[in-house]
Amino acid sequence: MPAETLDLREVPPPERHPKIHNSFAALDSGETLQIINDHEPRPLFYEMKAEVEDFDAENYTVEQRDDDEFVATLPKQ
């Protein structure tokens, strides 16, 4: 179960990544952040992998539930 879930579908795009990074930084090691997005969050994955040392890229998952609903789990090492 994620420590926090962010539904970003109604959040303006320029505000999404800062919100995600702030929420992820507040997690304890071993916790996960779940995001619900209106598009495939592939750019976020590459950004997190390159810039966030404690992002566990190996255990990242994303599931498309509908045309405009993608649920991604971002684990923290």
Side-chain angles (χ1 to χ4, degrees):
M1 181 161 192
E4 184 175 357
T5 299
L6 296 176
D7 188 338
L8 301 167
R9 292 174 289 182
E10 300 297 321
V11 176
E15 297 175 18
R16 292 179 182 187
H17 285 212
K19 188 176 192 90
I20 292 165
H21 284 282
N22 289 337
S23 294
F24 189 82
L27 296 177
D28 290 331
S29 178
E31 292 185 324
T32 61
L33 172 65
Q34 183 177 73
I35 64 165
I36 303 169
N37 210 352
D38 57 5
H39 63 277
E40 166 72 51
R42 190 178 320 256
L44 173 67
F45 169 77
Y46 291 118
E47 178 182 316
M48 295 288 289
K49 187 175 178 182
E51 298 177 10
V52 181
E53 186 176 321
D54 50 2
F55 172 60
D56 181 3
E58 294 295 319
N59 289 303
Y60 167 87
T61 61
V62 64
E63 172 190 357
Q64 183 175 359
R65 294 187 179 164
D66 204 347
D67 289 340
D68 62 350
E69 184 178 356
F70 293 80
V71 179
T73 302
L74 293 77
K76 188 169 189 176
Q77 294 179 348

